[in-house]
Amino acid sequence: MKNSLRELRQQDNMTQEELGELLNVSCQTIISIESGRYNPSLELAFKISWIFMLSIEKIFIFEEDVK
């Protein structure tokens, strides 16, 4: 799953550490989400969408592996 978290965070001039504090997660969690190594829980995705005032679908892009 891809996401636009890094771009949104940078638009708001927010560090990974600041976002982590708002979400009560570590800076490493933010780094992992931004790099696509970790998909957040539904609860965390909702919290992220609330902070940026966007729907989850606007932040997280599900790419189905079509064969």
Side-chain angles (χ1 to χ4, degrees), residues 1-9 16 19-20 23-49 52 59-61:
M1 181 175 350
K2 293 191 178 201
N3 67 75
S4 58
L5 187 57
R6 178 177 286 129
E7 293 82 8
L8 292 169
R9 181 180 54 74
Q16 291 168 328
L19 181 57
L23 295 167
N24 200 30
V25 297
S26 70
C27 181
Q28 276 303 120
T29 299
I30 302 302
I31 292 168
S32 295
I33 293 170
E34 288 183 353
S35 67
R37 291 189 312 255
Y38 173 73
N39 291 325
S41 67
L42 186 56
E43 180 181 356
L44 184 53
F46 270 108
K47 288 179 180 179
I48 291 168
S49 71
F52 293 105
I59 301 170
F60 298 96
I61 301 95

